[in-house]
């Protein structure tokens, strides 16, 4: 069970990376758009510098034709680094590109996945990760847990190396449901992740413990005691 940050915001990655356990960062053109007209390659290199080499970085192509997707992937790998996972939407052209990229042993994250069929085909095309769009499925009255559960079942049944990278979340209940259904990883915006522990009851519990301590020992910390 791993968490990734679904953001390209450098400050958020720095701040929340020190708090939440995370194993990577995912972006897409809509996420990049939120950062304004940045220097794309330099910005992505900075994300890599922040997260280090042991975490995964997933960057999406923008082209719609397979040939151009592969060219964009080559540019990303050349100008950012060779370990980036290339996100490719699972369209017909996308499947063609995924197969071409895997032939060159390039890491691939199949994305914009709304259906079991897309997921199964992406697995068979060799995708390393499948970004299943949880909230967008729910908006379309598709049972997201069932889609993720079926993909997890096929991965186990046929011993695929593919991992399910659940994405598109609007709340933590959806994130938890994705894990319960069998997702290996979930990419979440830090604002949503924060709601997991920022509840009045949790803060009050911590404050009550501190208050009880102070009522006996005063303002003395444990490390200050003899
Ligand atoms: O990684 C992108 C995916 O999370 C899409 O999210 O919020 O546009 O449905 P959203």
């Amino acid at each position: 069970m791993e968490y990734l940050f679904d953001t390209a915001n450098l400050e958020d990655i720095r701040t929340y990376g020190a708090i939440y356990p995370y194993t990577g960062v995912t972006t897409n053109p809509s996420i990049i758009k939120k950062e304004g007209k940045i220097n794309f390659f330099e910005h992505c290199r900075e994300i890599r510098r922040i997260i280090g080499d042991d975490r995964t970085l997933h960057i999406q192509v923008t082209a719609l034709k397979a040939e151009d997707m592969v060219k964009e992937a080559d540019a990303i790998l050349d100008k950012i680094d060779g370990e980036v996972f290339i996100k490719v939407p699972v369209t017909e052209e996308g499947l063609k590109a995924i197969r071409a990229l895997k032939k060159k042993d390039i890491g691939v994250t199949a994305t914009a996945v709304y259906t079991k069929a897309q997921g199964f085909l992406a697995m068979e095309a060799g995708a390393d990760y499948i970004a299943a769009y949880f909230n967008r499925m729910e908006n379309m009255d598709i049972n997201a847990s069932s889609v993720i559960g079926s993909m997890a079942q096929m991965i186990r049944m046929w011993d695929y190396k593919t991992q399910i990278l659940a994405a598109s979340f609007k709340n933590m209940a959806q994130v938890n449901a994705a894990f319960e259904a069998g997702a290996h990883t979930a990419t979440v915006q830090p604002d949503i992740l924060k709601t997991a522990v920022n509840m009045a009851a949790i803060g009050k519990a911590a404050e009550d413990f501190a208050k009880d301590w102070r009522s006996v020992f005063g303002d003395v910390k444990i490390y200050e005691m003899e």
Side-chain angles (χ1 to χ4, degrees):
M1 209 177 57
E2 295 178 7
Y3 297 87
L4 289 87
F5 292 149
D6 205 14
T7 182
N9 186 275
L10 303 178
E11 213 36 60
D12 277 358
I13 297 169
R14 283 194 194 96
T15 304
Y16 297 110
I19 300 171
Y20 295 96
Y22 78 110
T23 59
V25 165
T26 54
T27 71
N28 64 31
S30 307
I31 288 171
I32 295 287
K33 179 184 167 188
K34 288 185 194 160
E35 303 309 307
K37 200 149 184 225
I38 49 171
N39 177 328
F40 173 67
F41 290 124
E42 178 47 31
H43 193 94
C44 293
R45 286 194 293 266
E46 184 59 18
I47 294 177
R48 170 63 82 197
R49 283 193 282 272
I50 296 169
I51 71 174
D53 293 335
D54 293 338
R55 295 191 172 90
T56 61
L57 176 57
H58 306 249
I59 297 175
Q60 192 163 325
V61 294
T62 68
L64 297 175
K65 292 279 174 209
E67 198 183 318
D68 293 331
M69 289 177 183
V70 172
K71 280 190 200 161
E72 287 190 335
D74 287 340
I76 289 169
L77 295 166
D78 183 43
K79 297 201 165 95
I80 301 171
D81 67 65
E83 300 307 311
V84 171
F85 284 86
I86 305 297
K87 287 179 75 183
V88 180
V90 184
T91 56
E92 279 193 342
E93 290 292 319
L95 280 169
K96 196 172 169 187
I98 290 170
R99 291 174 59 204
L101 293 172
K102 289 315 299 177
K103 235 183 213 168
K104 300 201 279 180
D105 211 21
I106 291 167
V108 170
T109 300
T111 194
V113 172
Y114 293 77
T115 68
K116 292 177 192 178
Q118 274 181 298
F120 296 168
L121 284 164
M123 268 174 226
E124 185 57 14
D128 300 277
Y129 293 92
I130 294 176
Y133 275 8
F134 202 101
N135 187 64
R136 293 196 196 195
M137 283 189 227
E138 291 203 326
N139 288 346
M140 294 168 68
D141 202 19
I142 296 170
N143 186 330
S145 289
S146 161
V147 170
I148 289 174
S150 295
M151 292 196 295
Q153 186 190 359
M154 290 306 149
I155 288 170
R156 281 194 304 272
M157 193 184 292
W158 299 106
D159 201 23
Y160 283 104
K161 299 294 167 246
T162 314
Q163 293 201 29
I164 301 165
L165 196 175
S168 176
F169 293 112
K170 288 295 159 276
N171 57 61
M172 282 306 288
Q174 293 177 329
V175 177
N176 298 340
F179 281 132
E180 284 161 1
H184 307 83
T185 69
T187 185
V188 188
Q189 291 164 33
D191 273 358
I192 293 172
L193 216 40
K194 276 172 70 167
T195 67
V197 289
N198 285 341
M199 288 174 202
I202 299 172
K204 184 171 183 320
E207 276 161 26
D208 286 348
F209 289 134
K211 204 164 115 197
D212 283 344
W213 176 267
R214 277 198 308 274
S215 71
V216 179
F217 299 102
D219 227 352
V220 179
K221 304 283 185 302
I222 288 177
Y223 60 77
E224 292 168 338
M225 299 181 95
E226 295 290 313

